[in-house]
Amino acid sequence: MRLIWFRNDLRCHSHTPLLRALAAGEPALALYVLCPLQWDRHEVAPLRRWYVLESLLELGKTLASRGVDLHVVDGGDFDGAVVAVTNFVREHGITDVFCNREYPLNELNRDRAVAYELEKDGVRIHGFDDGVLVPPRALNTGKGTPYTVFTAYKRRWDRWMEENGPRVPEVPCWPARRGRFAGRGRVEAALSELSLGQALRAQWQPGEDAAARQLSAFVKWHIEDYKRLRDRPAETATSELSTALSAGTLAPAEAWRAARMAMQDPVAREGAATWIGELAWRDFYRQILHRFPALAKGAPFRPETRFLRWNDNEAHFDAWCEGRTGYPLVDAAMRQLVSTGWMHNRLRMLAAMFLTKHLFIDWRKGERFFMRHLIDGDFAANNGGWQWSASTGTDAAPYFRVFSPVRQSRRFDPEGRFIARYVTELAELDNETIHEPWKQPLLTGDYPPPLVPHEGVKQRVETAFRAARDAWHRQAGEQGA
Ligand SMILES: Cc1cc2nc3c(=O)[nH]c(=O)nc-3n(C[C@H](O)[C@H](O)[C@H](O)COP(=O)(O)OP(=O)(O)OC[C@H]3O[C@@H](n4cnc5c(N)ncnc54)[C@H](O)[C@@H]3O)c2cc1C
């Protein structure tokens, strides 16, 4: 008997483990291990848990209709998952386990422990890389080291994709029987334990069918303008497929194939090529996390930045979390996050840079806050984005680059439409005042003045980074002495 172990790949299409497990026409079972304690430990947002569980319900139904039983067991945390998988394999006489690899440290340790246990019983494990377009160890620089600069990585990534990119997917050889969704009750029970407002859920559609529809709609209506409009948060210009990609209801291969098809239309070529570049960023941060595992333990990529002395101002942190910094676009961004579970990329960069540069608060606090709210919360992309913004990461924004919240606002939300949507107390202001409401305090009601002035931030950040570098050199000198 063969087993397909589903994790962050909650779909049937473009799923190599499923395809291979069913290829020999042998009977196969499917398994998903719930790990609510692991979710608690990683502070996974309730909205994301809901998305995963609902997608799992859809997957269980689809598999059953095609002759494969999906079992759902409760592992508690990843240690418990090792026991749960091992027991399941022994109880059901499994000879081969098929799954997609996962690259963060805890997931790798879990999988190594499972492999260690199962190999004692002679069970074979077959791992695949459908979660990325280019496997994280496939590309190395001429020196055999991992790429740490995106542009060089992307050049090599493009070549690899030309030579090895995903081909048209085969269709699994489904068994001629009716399957059973054995874990449905467990998933429904886990869903009933979530405390989550209906308004938040109503904005999202879980499952692979919805993800496929969303991909086609994006390619049909928006991809051609992607390059032009993707930095405008008031527009519907980006795919909003990050949730589907991170939970695996959409295969990156499908996303890439759809964009490549779009490139055949000269009008859409530029937009589609730019969008493919974002899929490469996704792979880039996954390979960085995989090849520098200290990142998974909270380490910054740049060692000197360990010596930065961050501010510990709780009142400032709370104001940022609640969208009350006095900078309208930053506040609109934070309110979008809390009220929808998602934030536009331009605003993630702005909000993260504001926290780490203007308020000089540790990026790890912001990273955790994002994970607590994001429906697309994904360790590699979130860590990469935060370290980019804080200038502690690989190929990050240089530390002397500090976004001006007002200039970003004028440039990317010139009419203030996005601000008006989320900072409703400013909705009546004109296009000018809405970016700098403190200039017209009589019109802005309860809206707060800026928490800190923009002037002087760049100098303060430069001083702090220089001090950190000096401290690092001193420590290196003392250790060498
Ligand atoms: C501080 C910060 C935190 C972030 N946290 C996350 C996170 O938890 N989960 C997440 O998926 N993305 C994260 N991102 C990356 C990016 O903001 C989102 O992927 C993007 O906003 C999702 O919107 P979209 O699906 O419309 O993207 P599109 O513009 O349509 O891009 C297509 C896909 O490419 C990938 N992608 C796009 N930009 C990036 C990027 N910079 N890094 C990695 N992958 C990218 C995503 O999978 C996205 O769905 C973060 C970025 C920053 C600056």
Side-chain angles (χ1 to χ4, degrees):
M1 179 74 87
R2 297 170 157 215
L3 179 70
I4 307 122
W5 179 11
F6 283 92
R7 294 99 76 89
N8 279 312
D9 49 357
L10 302 175
R11 62 175 185 276
C12 292
H13 73 272
S14 283
H15 196 286
T16 318
L18 189 60
L19 201 68
R20 294 281 186 273
L22 296 177
E26 284 185 30
L29 295 175
L31 176 69
Y32 184 88
V33 186
L34 289 172
C35 289
L37 297 177
Q38 201 71 33
W39 277 350
D40 290 348
R41 225 169 272 162
H42 291 167
E43 302 188 76
V44 174
L47 186 62
R48 180 168 180 81
R49 300 180 193 208
W50 167 81
Y51 181 91
V52 168
L53 293 168
E54 286 287 351
S55 299
L56 193 54
L57 277 184
E58 185 190 281
L59 178 71
K61 281 185 224 156
T62 311
L63 285 171
S65 72
R66 291 173 181 179
V68 176
D69 301 352
L70 175 64
H71 293 253
V72 178
V73 296
D74 203 339
D77 60 9
F78 280 175
D79 288 341
V82 176
V83 178
V85 174
T86 312
N87 288 343
F88 187 91
V89 165
R90 287 180 184 147
E91 278 161 25
H92 291 83
I94 303 291
T95 55
D96 294 79
V97 176
F98 295 76
C99 58
N100 273 314
R101 295 190 185 95
E102 295 193 301
Y103 315 107
L105 192 60
N106 288 330
E107 282 75 356
L108 280 175
N109 287 338
R110 174 200 60 195
D111 290 354
R112 285 183 189 130
V114 168
Y116 176 78
E117 289 300 324
L118 296 187
E119 279 164 9
K120 285 193 238 168
D121 298 343
V123 175
R124 287 175 296 265
I125 305 196
H126 310 264
F128 302 91
D129 293 296
D130 293 347
V132 285
L133 287 163
V134 177
R137 288 196 172 271
L139 306 184
N140 286 309
T141 64
K143 294 181 188 150
T145 53
Y147 281 98
T148 54
V149 175
F150 178 73
T151 36
Y153 173 80
K154 172 68 168 39
R155 265 198 302 276
R156 189 68 192 81
W157 186 92
D158 280 336
R159 225 175 334 125
W160 196 95
M161 289 300 287
E162 284 302 328
E163 289 159 13
N164 311 286
R167 311 274 169 248
V168 178
E170 298 161 53
V171 179
C173 177
W174 297 107
R177 66 185 278 273
R178 175 115 202 120
R180 193 167 65 89
F181 183 6
R184 188 191 187 121
R186 268 214 177 84
V187 183
E188 285 169 347
L191 272 168
S192 71
E193 279 166 22
L194 292 178
S195 97
L196 193 66
Q198 173 60 24
L200 207 50
R201 287 184 235 187
Q203 306 178 56
W204 298 100
Q205 278 198 301
E208 71 176 308
D209 289 348
R213 283 196 301 276
Q214 203 178 322
L215 175 65
S216 332
F218 171 69
V219 170
K220 186 166 177 196
W221 302 111
H222 302 295
I223 207 165
E224 70 181 57
D225 285 326
Y226 181 75
K227 185 164 187 223
R228 194 168 59 87
L229 295 178
R230 70 187 172 133
D231 278 317
R232 297 288 183 104
E235 308 291 337
T236 306
T238 71
S239 69
E240 297 189 24
L241 282 166
S242 45
T243 312
L245 284 164
S246 62
T249 49
L250 176 67
E254 288 298 317
W256 182 81
R257 255 193 296 271
R260 289 286 288 201
M261 289 278 284
M263 282 178 73
Q264 289 173 10
D265 174 356
V267 180
R269 182 168 302 142
E270 220 183 11
T274 308
W275 196 65
I276 286 177
E278 299 308 316
L279 300 177
W281 269 108
R282 183 175 177 274
D283 277 6
F284 178 67
Y285 283 138
R286 277 173 157 63
Q287 64 106 29
I288 289 287
L289 180 63
H290 184 55
R291 303 193 72 175
F292 299 92
L295 297 181
K297 294 182 178 164
F301 186 86
R302 302 180 76 86
E304 70 276 21
T305 63
R306 271 187 290 128
F307 294 87
L308 285 168
R309 299 170 70 88
W310 300 105
N311 282 342
D312 218 1
N313 187 326
E314 280 303 318
H316 279 186
F317 183 64
D318 290 349
W320 178 82
C321 295
E322 290 162 17
R324 289 186 297 101
T325 67
Y327 287 100
L329 193 56
V330 175
D331 292 342
M334 295 306 293
R335 295 184 197 188
Q336 179 184 39
L337 173 65
V338 173
S339 65
T340 70
W342 188 83
M343 194 195 283
H344 187 280
N345 180 57
R346 167 63 43 190
L347 303 182
R348 293 188 205 209
M349 293 192 286
L350 175 64
M353 209 180 259
F354 186 86
L355 184 77
T356 55
K357 303 270 169 82
H358 288 74
L359 304 182
F360 212 68
I361 289 178
D362 194 331
W363 56 273
R364 282 160 284 223
K365 286 186 83 170
E367 183 192 23
R368 275 199 300 279
F369 187 78
F370 268 32
M371 282 308 270
R372 266 185 246 142
H373 289 274
L374 281 174
I375 188 171
D376 66 11
D378 173 277
F379 190 82
N382 196 38
N383 185 272
W386 272 96
Q387 295 222 44
W388 182 90
S389 311
S391 305
T392 61
T394 173
D395 205 7
Y399 65 81
F400 46 82
R401 184 164 173 212
V402 178
F403 287 165
S404 150
V406 174
R407 284 187 58 201
Q408 292 277 311
S409 188
R410 287 187 193 286
R411 183 160 169 214
F412 298 115
D413 189 28
E415 292 148 8
R417 279 194 288 132
F418 185 82
I419 294 173
R421 203 181 297 161
Y422 289 99
V423 187
T424 47
E425 61 270 43
L426 303 182
E428 300 302 323
L429 298 186
D430 62 62
N431 296 355
E432 265 305 305
T433 318
I434 200 160
H435 303 291
E436 297 178 276
W438 55 89
K439 291 189 170 166
Q440 297 283 352
L442 294 179
L443 301 178
T444 55
D446 285 347
Y447 188 70
L451 208 54
V452 290
H454 174 65
E455 292 66 37
V457 171
K458 188 166 154 19
Q459 289 75 4
R460 276 203 304 280
V461 170
E462 284 179 7
T463 308
F465 270 77
R466 270 200 296 271
R469 202 187 42 210
D470 292 346
W472 181 57
H473 283 152
R474 260 198 315 281
Q475 194 205 48
E478 282 159 19
Q479 282 171 353

